[in-house]
Amino acid sequence: MTRINDIILRTTTTLIAFILLGFSIYLFFAGHNAPGGGFIGGLMTSAAFVLMYMAYGFRALQKILPINFRCVIPVGLIIALATGIGSFIFGEPFLSQTYAYFQHPVLGKTELATALLFDLGVYLTVIGVTMTIILTIANDRGEAN
């Protein structure tokens, strides 16, 4: 079933999803020094995915983005847990963080913190949980065509 306004929705979705994904990456990287981080970055990424699912449909997006979001959840949890347990190796308390500065050829002097790895775990877990819930509800209602 095609709707008359599909072309407008799909065109604007392409632009808006690109902006949402870009902003979510910014929030993810800014999170250990400023407001943001893995949680809100994951929610913004999920919002972009949901918008694309609404505009293009379930089957079309499964061809473009063949991700089983249920498998993303344990990957994110393992990364977050490994980051917390990794501090034990250095005799530090659970979830202790450290940082160092590295010279990057393009970005110059760049700070890399272990909190970024923890945020990556949270980011992936939030995307996995959010998308699993939304797609399960859509499938139950029969709207994921």
Side-chain angles (χ1 to χ4, degrees):
M1 177 175 135
T2 59
R3 295 178 298 248
I4 296 171
N5 293 332
D6 274 354
I7 188 73
I8 296 171
L9 177 63
R10 289 180 181 181
T11 304
T12 56
T13 293
T14 304
L15 176 65
I16 293 170
F18 180 75
I19 292 169
L20 283 173
L21 288 171
F23 189 57
S24 74
I25 298 299
Y26 165 76
L27 287 173
F28 171 73
F29 283 113
H32 64 279
N33 288 330
F39 186 78
I40 191 64
L43 287 177
M44 293 289 291
T45 301
S46 296
F49 289 164
V50 168
L51 183 62
M52 289 188 290
Y53 272 105
M54 288 172 43
Y56 296 105
F58 183 79
R59 288 190 183 99
L61 211 58
Q62 280 299 107
K63 291 178 184 174
I64 297 169
L65 196 65
I67 297 174
N68 183 354
F69 291 104
R70 288 183 179 172
C71 294
V72 175
I73 299 169
V75 170
L77 288 173
I78 289 169
I79 291 171
L81 189 62
T83 304
I85 292 173
S87 59
F88 290 148
I89 296 171
F90 300 102
E92 296 292 327
F94 184 69
L95 281 179
S96 295
Q97 76 141 356
T98 187
Y99 64 93
Y101 291 95
F102 297 93
Q103 189 66 30
H104 191 273
V106 176
L107 303 173
K109 189 176 181 181
T110 306
E111 177 189 12
L112 182 61
T114 56
L116 186 67
L117 293 174
F118 179 76
D119 276 345
L120 177 64
V122 172
Y123 180 81
L124 292 174
T125 303
V126 169
I127 291 172
V129 169
T130 305
M131 293 306 298
T132 298
I133 291 170
I134 290 172
L135 293 177
T136 301
I137 292 170
N139 280 333
D140 285 347
R141 293 185 49 129
E143 293 177 2
N145 293 325

